[in-house]
Amino acid sequence: MGAGAKHQMVFVDRLLATLVHLRHGVTHEVLACWFGVDRSTVTRAVGEVRPPLAERGSTVSPDVRLRTLAEVVEHLGQTGKTGIIDGTEIRVRRPAVGRKDRDRFISGKNKQNAVKAMVFTDGDGRLLFCSPTKPGSCADITHARELGLVKLLTDGPAVEILADAGYQGLGAQTGGRVVTPPHRKFKKNAPDWYEEIHERQRKTHSSRRIRVEHGIAHLKNWRALARHVGRREHMDDTVQAIAGLLSQQQTADRILAWQT
């Protein structure tokens, strides 16, 4: 009892150092200078504070906190709101030479080493869930299936989930609950009337789905997700912690807006 090295930073300082590191990307060396401690003390503080932040979940109201994808689907069913999903990529350091799964981190979209997370927002762009990360080569629809989204929607409440073309195929598997952009029935030489209707439908869907892009943009404002230079095994906690902090900020902003 009481064995081991004593912390040179009180909890408030450890929490503050972690938030500054996540929000602004300040290195541990700089934080050590600010707080007058050794770099290893800051590293230990961030490593201890980040997991509890990741476990908090996303705040949608003062008394409602969502921690799992199942809770998100249930919440949408109870409130009757539309959900929106999309994948986002975060650049990471290139895996070491000789690692067997080295190529798995190469994104097919950006041709860079990255990990991918699925972001879930409501129709207003409020963050509801951010999934654990997968290597960048994983397709969006594959990631959604591995997270169990198909089963949750099939067995759960009747909700509407908007998605981009990367999720085409989930609509048929979920009884139409996942709505993707309309398919083109004419690959070439389409009639003018069809082009006009298809373009109008595509724009309507895009204008509804754009809110998730705003949610992703708010996530990427945190420097730790603009480009991750730390260890990849810490990425899941980093993403979850930032998602929870951002959702709480969004909820606080909405409460202040209602009061004024």
Side-chain angles (χ1 to χ4, degrees):
M1 188 74 176
K6 305 300 182 184
H7 281 292
Q8 298 180 36
M9 300 174 67
V10 298
F11 175 75
V12 173
D13 287 345
R14 283 183 279 156
L15 176 60
L16 180 59
T18 303
L19 295 178
V20 173
H21 171 68
L22 295 175
R23 183 67 178 87
H24 300 287
V26 179
T27 64
H28 293 182
E29 289 83 0
V30 173
L31 289 171
C33 292
W34 287 357
F35 288 95
V37 297
D38 188 75
R39 182 197 59 79
S40 61
T41 301
V42 174
T43 300
R44 182 175 60 180
V46 173
E48 291 178 349
V49 173
R50 184 171 46 201
L53 289 177
E55 295 173 358
R56 296 177 67 250
S58 296
T59 304
V60 294
S61 67
D63 57 343
V64 177
R65 193 184 299 276
L66 308 176
R67 294 181 174 85
T68 65
L69 189 57
E71 292 178 350
V72 172
V73 174
E74 182 181 357
H75 169 73
L76 292 175
Q78 292 175 349
T79 58
K81 292 184 178 181
T82 296
I84 315 175
I85 58 174
D86 198 8
T88 184
E89 294 183 351
I90 305 164
R91 290 184 61 190
V92 296
R93 293 186 298 183
R94 190 177 186 183
V97 176
R99 179 168 174 172
K100 294 182 179 180
D101 59 351
R102 191 183 192 198
D103 293 341
R104 294 180 61 217
F105 290 92
I106 299 179
S107 166
K109 180 188 298 184
N110 297 322
K111 310 301 180 183
Q112 296 175 337
N113 291 275
V115 293
K116 178 178 296 183
M118 188 183 79
V119 178
F120 209 128
T121 70
D122 62 14
D124 296 325
R126 180 169 53 183
L127 193 64
L128 302 179
F129 178 76
C130 199
S131 75
T133 59
K134 298 286 287 186
S137 61
C138 181
D140 289 346
I141 190 171
T142 301
H143 194 185
R145 287 167 176 161
E146 291 178 352
L147 290 170
L149 181 61
V150 173
K151 180 175 177 56
L152 289 173
L153 293 178
T154 303
D155 299 340
V159 297
E160 181 186 46
I161 308 296
L162 303 179
D164 63 10
Y167 296 92
Q168 283 182 345
L170 289 186
Q173 295 179 343
T174 59
R177 286 175 170 82
V178 177
V179 182
T180 55
H183 288 278
R184 290 187 62 87
K185 297 182 179 180
F186 296 87
K187 293 186 178 180
K188 58 181 180 179
N189 300 325
D192 292 340
W193 62 267
Y194 177 81
E195 289 286 0
E196 181 180 348
I197 293 176
H198 181 272
E199 184 67 13
R200 184 165 61 247
Q201 291 175 340
R202 187 189 65 80
K203 286 185 177 180
T204 299
H205 182 273
S206 179
S207 64
R208 297 182 64 200
R209 197 193 65 83
I210 194 64
R211 297 290 187 175
V212 71
E213 303 290 352
H214 299 163
I216 292 175
H218 288 308
L219 276 173
K220 293 297 183 68
N221 281 336
W222 290 66
R223 292 294 297 276
L225 296 186
R227 177 172 181 176
H228 190 72
V229 296
R231 299 177 66 89
R232 280 181 295 277
E233 53 265 34
H234 297 160
M235 175 55 79
D236 284 350
D237 282 347
T238 298
V239 172
Q240 302 289 339
I242 292 176
L245 292 167
L246 179 59
S247 69
Q248 184 169 349
Q249 177 186 351
Q250 292 175 333
T251 300
D253 291 343
R254 290 174 184 271
I255 292 175
L256 290 175
W258 294 333
Q259 291 177 345
T260 56

